Amino acid sequence: MKRDTPHILLVNPWIHDFAAYDVWAKPLGLLTLASILRFHGFNITYLDCLDRFHPKASQTDPYARNGRGPYLKTKIPKPGGLEDIPRNFSRYGIKEKWFREDLRCIETPDLVLMTSMMTYWYTGVQETINVIKETFSDVTIVLGGIYASLCYEHALNHSGAHRIVTGPGEKHLLEMVGECTGFSVNAKFDPDDLDTYPYPAFEIQKKINYIPLQTSKGCPFACKYCASHYLNPKRMVRSPESVVEEIRYHLKKYKVKDFVFYDDALLVDAEKHAIPMLEGIINAGLKIRFHTPNAVHIREISRQTARLMFQAGFKTLRLGLETTSLEIRNDLDKKVTVTEFTQAVTCLKEAGFDKNMIGVYLLAGLPGQQTELIENSIQSVKQTGATPILAYYSPIPKTSLWDQAVASSRYPLESDPIFTNNAILPCQNEPFSWKTISRLKKLAAK
Ligand code: SF4
């Protein structure tokens, strides 16, 4: 007999890759969907294949490295076409046996909702879905998230999910769940107003070692290598007061010290958003640490924003510079000039940030990019007294750089997202070379 309220299983799938490390990566979208479902009376269960603190894993300090840390991993065969890459390939996350046991322990759900991240991690999604199907063969599985949104056709044909949803999930969640379960409810929040969303359901995780925050969605820029504008076409911004209120709430409830901003454009329109928000945090006297693993916009860093970020407790700041090479810059984005970058670093240092706190992302492996230009960018960043961080380019469908990436790649990118893995530098002209990567890494770290 059908229960009155449907039981929804939410799953964060495994990652398959040459390398993966948990740099404050929580499935915030899925945790938000979980809270919306709960808020509307659904029963939910959450299984996280990437849980570093699974009860069967050897226990580590969840607060070490401000919440970052290595995933568990199991070596698996390399995917077809990448056998020649001289690196191990692994399933990152909990052991398969533990996942099967966890699935057997829960009541059969009425629906499974799964998220997805990088397009080239889809084999991890496939494997997760296969295991779920072996336990719950008759249950509908719905896949959303980044891979599903960017590679809809591929996901439909290859993921194994029964239904693929694209774009931000919150808007159509209740309607879709209603269609799948026959249980319809009226929305008690406005999908177009982030301030009306219930807080993400952090309590369904086994450990809460830091809190991810999303104070805005989308980005007004359209850099050629980034899919932000496709994934979140509508920019939505929360009120500064509601963000401060949420931080106070989580701090009181979970006693965590680390908060991580997931915004794509945290500092954009700072006068209306970031500045009052940072002032609110400072005035509230909250003794916490903030981190921005997603780059902030350099152009928005002034004496004032730098000072406020430092006073508010920002400890890890990442800047999206991408390159100092003018030829590349003009073709890729218009988001910053080298002069603006130098001024921003000066403001940050005057405010109190040291070299280790200021990490500057530089793209490596862009179509046709000469290694020499990456080396020049590394040197220029070092001269300012900030820390260069190499971000290897992954070609992303639906971005303006995609066609150029396809044309320049030595792999058939359009035939299989597996070839877009940034670890193999798919758009480099010459074959994969550890020597080049090691040289660049050493130069950045020296
Ligand atoms: S500024 Fe950042 S988030 Fe915005 S489009 Fe460019 S890379 Fe993407």
Side-chain angles (χ1 to χ4, degrees), residues 145-163:
I146 295 176
Y147 157 65
S149 297
L150 293 173
C151 304
Y152 174 80
E153 291 291 334
H154 187 276
L156 202 60
N157 296 323
H158 300 279
S159 69
H162 301 97
R163 186 166 170 166

Side-chain angles (χ1 to χ4, degrees), residues 37 59 75 78-79 105-106 165 227 273 408 438:
L37 289 170
Q59 295 306 298
K75 197 177 155 194
K78 288 174 213 175
C105 282
I106 62 173
V165 292
H273 183 61
S408 72
S438 307

Side-chain angles (χ1 to χ4, degrees), residues 218-282:
C219 172
F221 291 82
C223 303
K224 283 177 87 173
Y225 43 80
C226 175
S228 175
H229 59 288
Y230 181 83
L231 294 169
N232 285 299
K234 186 175 175 195
R235 177 137 170 91
M236 293 198 281
V237 184
R238 287 180 58 184
S239 70
E241 299 77 29
S242 81
V243 177
V244 178
E245 191 54 44
E246 181 180 351
I247 294 171
R248 296 175 84 126
Y249 174 87
H250 294 313
L251 182 62
K252 190 168 174 213
K253 188 166 178 193
Y254 303 118
K255 315 269 183 289
V256 284
K257 290 285 177 218
D258 291 286
F259 286 72
V260 182
F261 288 105
Y262 278 23
D263 299 53
D264 282 342
L266 181 67
L267 297 184
V268 164
D269 210 3
E271 287 292 335
K272 287 198 191 126
H273 183 61
I275 291 175
M277 187 176 77
L278 294 170
E279 286 171 344
I281 292 167
I282 295 164

